[in-house]
Amino acid sequence: MRLLESKKGLSLFAFEHSEEYQQAQHKFLVAVESMEPNNIVVLLQTSPYHVDSLLQLSDACRFQEDQEMARDLVERALYSMECAFHPLFSLTSGACRLDYRRPENRSFYLALYKQMSFLEKRGCPRTALEYCKLILSLEPDEDPLCMLLLIDHLALRARNYEYLIRLFQEWEAHRNLSQLPNFAFSVPLAYFLLSQQTDLPEHEQSSAREKASLLIQQALTMFPGVLLPLLEYCSVRPDATVSAHHFFGPNAEISQPPALSQLVSLYLGRSHFLWKEPATMSWLEESVHRVLQAVDAGDPAVEACEHRRKVLYQRAPRNIHRHVILSEIKEAVAALPPVRREAEMEMGALCKPVTCTAPERRGRGTVSPGVTALPLQPRRFLSPSNVQAPVCQTKSCQPWKHDCALLSVPVAKLYHGGGETRGRSGWGSEPQPGPQQADAGCARHDGQLPPQ
């Protein structure tokens, strides 16, 4: 790894491949095209710390339900890259950047994402949240893996409601987070769950409850197609007044643009169990009836939201498709365009952006320039170039410098389990980790890694 430049308090780094490592990378690409995992095993016998081979073999082990080996291979990949860190590169400062368009940097993103997924599955959402913040901090403006579609879910699972609310308040002005279904519903849920905490003063509980009711009504007005699928996921049967109403009826889901249906499927497939608590359902029912009253009264906000849905969500960029494939949520993957789904699921195609800032020094020549993948900003990628949505006219489309305090990662939580909460689940039948899993984020390896 070398330091490319430092300016305005940010440092841009990049991994570099030696000649020997480039030869191993070329052999890896040949092994991937052969569609035979044993060829990757043979490659690892001569290059035991080749990162892409470790990640690819980890996927093969996971598909064969060998979770322990899959986790160990990902940790080895992270250890290999950690040994190549620049002395000034810090995982926890929030001020170090890695350009995803550089081919050598992509493996680090994928390894962190896979490690985060394993931690979440092992019942360590707090540690997984720190990994999510780390991935987002490496390139927050472009967000190549669309971590904004996941960070709200992990914050709710970790019961870190204050962080999610703060993130929404500080980034809403320039990232328009309320136009993403996951933030539109997760933030009011965070306010509501915060209002249920008995250690808060009564006036703060009342304020949080009012804010939650206001935001959930706005979310239901903007995304009416979420309600019935959410109730179906939660095994709740809506009353006839709601199911027969034209606003929340089946037509609300069918009339959604494909890009919006994809985002809704991703959110529901991942976070539906967070809404199963009886108190949460009662609050949601109350909000739904208030929205129906506003619809029947001819509230102009209803028509404005309908117009926004038609013009904003025309297509999703490549980074959202990349996130959907990585998430492996069946409903969201099924919502992908068939051509995109087949192209992204090819072995080795997932980690490639549309353009590269440096040649692919892997024995295959250079990658021809194309159209740059767009960042996750709804007003930029979801609206046609000739249409300006009313909600975006007063907001800047340029990203600003992000608050490093929001993206900094505590060292103890990144390298260890972070002391996951062992209390009651609070949301359905979520498995709780045992004491032996408290340091799930810590990778242990014996031996020394040869210089890369």
Side-chain angles (χ1 to χ4, degrees):
M1 177 182 283
R2 67 186 179 96
L3 176 63
L4 299 181
E5 62 176 347
S6 296
K7 61 180 181 180
K8 297 181 180 180
L10 302 178
S11 301
L12 181 62
F13 294 88
F15 285 96
E16 288 187 332
H17 291 171
S18 63
E19 293 295 334
E20 181 181 358
Y21 194 91
Q22 291 180 39
Q23 294 176 5
Q25 189 72 15
H26 176 65
K27 295 178 182 178
F28 165 74
L29 294 176
V30 175
V32 167
E33 291 184 355
S34 68
M35 304 294 290
E36 177 55 55
N38 289 331
N39 293 337
I40 299 179
V41 176
V42 173
L43 174 60
L44 285 174
Q45 292 176 354
T46 57
S47 302
Y49 286 98
H50 182 258
V51 175
D52 287 344
S53 297
L54 291 170
L55 296 178
Q56 196 72 59
L57 188 59
S58 173
D59 287 340
C61 293
R62 185 166 51 86
F63 294 150
Q64 296 176 2
E65 299 184 357
D66 190 352
Q67 301 295 329
E68 289 296 330
M69 178 59 70
R71 285 195 295 264
D72 183 66
L73 292 170
V74 171
E75 290 178 353
R76 291 183 191 180
L78 287 172
Y79 173 74
S80 174
M81 289 180 284
E82 184 180 357
C83 290
F85 280 176
H86 191 276
L88 298 179
F89 184 77
S90 172
L91 290 174
T92 59
S93 67
C96 296
R97 301 290 184 262
L98 284 176
D99 190 351
Y100 188 84
R101 293 174 297 174
R102 297 186 67 93
E104 295 86 352
N105 294 340
R106 298 173 205 155
S107 299
F108 189 55
Y109 279 89
L110 295 178
L112 290 175
Y113 189 97
K114 293 177 185 296
Q115 178 72 349
M116 176 193 65
S117 299
F118 284 130
L119 288 169
E120 183 188 5
K121 293 176 182 178
R122 294 180 69 177
C124 299
R126 289 174 58 188
T127 311
L129 175 62
E130 304 305 328
Y131 271 84
C132 184
K133 291 161 59 177
L134 170 60
I135 299 173
L136 183 59
S137 71
L138 295 177
E139 200 172 357
D141 293 337
E142 299 296 326
D143 194 11
L145 298 187
C146 278
M147 303 313 296
L148 287 179
L149 297 179
L150 175 62
I151 193 169
D152 62 296
H153 169 77
L154 294 177
L156 288 175
R157 286 202 59 192
R159 303 180 185 180
N160 198 344
Y161 312 130
E162 295 85 352
Y163 173 78
L164 176 58
I165 293 171
R166 181 188 169 197
L167 176 67
F168 177 78
Q169 291 174 345
E170 297 190 13
W171 283 25
E172 165 65 12
H174 67 288
R175 298 300 285 268
N176 220 8
L177 298 181
S178 60
Q179 301 305 305
L180 294 173
N182 58 309
F183 269 94
F185 283 87
S186 293
V187 173
L189 180 59
Y191 273 111
F192 175 76
L193 295 175
L194 190 63
S195 69
Q196 300 297 302
Q197 296 183 352
T198 57
D199 55 343
L200 285 179
E202 185 176 353
H203 69 279
E204 292 186 10
Q205 291 181 358
S206 177
S207 175
R209 181 65 180 261
E210 292 177 0
K211 190 68 174 179
S213 299
L214 176 62
L215 290 177
I216 192 61
Q217 291 174 37
Q218 294 176 356
L220 290 169
T221 305
M222 183 64 192
F223 306 106
V226 175
L227 179 63
L228 292 186
L230 175 61
L231 296 179
E232 183 178 356
Y233 271 109
C234 298
S235 301
V236 175
R237 188 173 183 177
D239 56 39
T241 305
V242 175
S243 58
H245 200 281
H246 68 90
F247 189 72
F248 287 120
N251 186 57
E253 183 181 2
I254 298 174
S255 61
Q256 291 180 148
L260 178 56
S261 298
Q262 183 176 311
L263 293 174
V264 170
S265 300
L266 183 68
Y267 172 70
L268 293 178
R270 174 180 283 152
S271 303
H272 65 272
F273 65 90
L274 300 176
W275 295 82
K276 287 187 175 181
E277 285 294 312
T280 304
M281 274 296 164
S282 299
W283 164 68
L284 179 62
E285 181 183 4
E286 178 184 349
S287 301
V288 167
H289 286 292
R290 289 184 180 180
V291 171
L292 288 181
Q293 293 175 2
V295 172
D296 295 336
D299 190 340
V302 177
E303 185 178 355
C305 290
E306 182 180 0
H307 174 70
R308 250 179 285 163
R309 286 195 301 272
K310 292 179 179 179
V311 299
L312 289 179
Y313 304 92
Q314 295 299 323
R315 67 179 183 88
R318 187 182 178 95
N319 52 351
I320 284 187
H321 292 160
R322 191 182 297 123
H323 178 93
V324 169
I325 297 296
L326 283 173
S327 69
E328 298 182 355
I329 296 176
K330 296 183 295 183
E331 298 82 2
V333 174
L336 283 173
V339 176
R340 175 64 71 189
R341 181 167 62 248
E342 295 174 2
E344 292 286 4
M345 296 189 71
E346 292 180 0
M347 294 181 69
L350 177 63
C351 62
K352 295 181 181 179
V354 179
T355 61
C356 300
T357 60
E360 286 267 17
R361 299 181 298 162
R362 300 180 179 179
R364 296 300 179 90
T366 61
V367 176
S368 58
V371 180
T372 305
L374 298 178
L376 180 60
Q377 297 183 2
R379 61 183 172 278
R380 294 176 65 181
F381 78 81
L382 293 176
S383 58
S385 58
N386 59 343
V387 177
Q388 183 69 27
V391 71
C392 306
Q393 291 177 351
T394 60
K395 297 186 178 181
S396 171
C397 292
Q398 297 298 326
W400 64 6
K401 180 179 177 181
H402 297 273
D403 184 5
C404 292
L406 280 172
L407 299 178
S408 59
V409 183
V411 178
K413 290 185 179 180
L414 183 62
Y415 284 95
H416 302 282
E420 305 293 353
T421 303
R422 297 293 190 269
R424 60 180 181 84
S425 171
W427 305 303
S429 57
E430 178 184 351
Q432 297 296 324
Q436 71 276 9
Q437 297 175 343
D439 57 346
C442 182
R444 300 184 178 88
H445 301 282
D446 298 326
Q448 298 296 325
L449 174 67
Q452 188 172 4

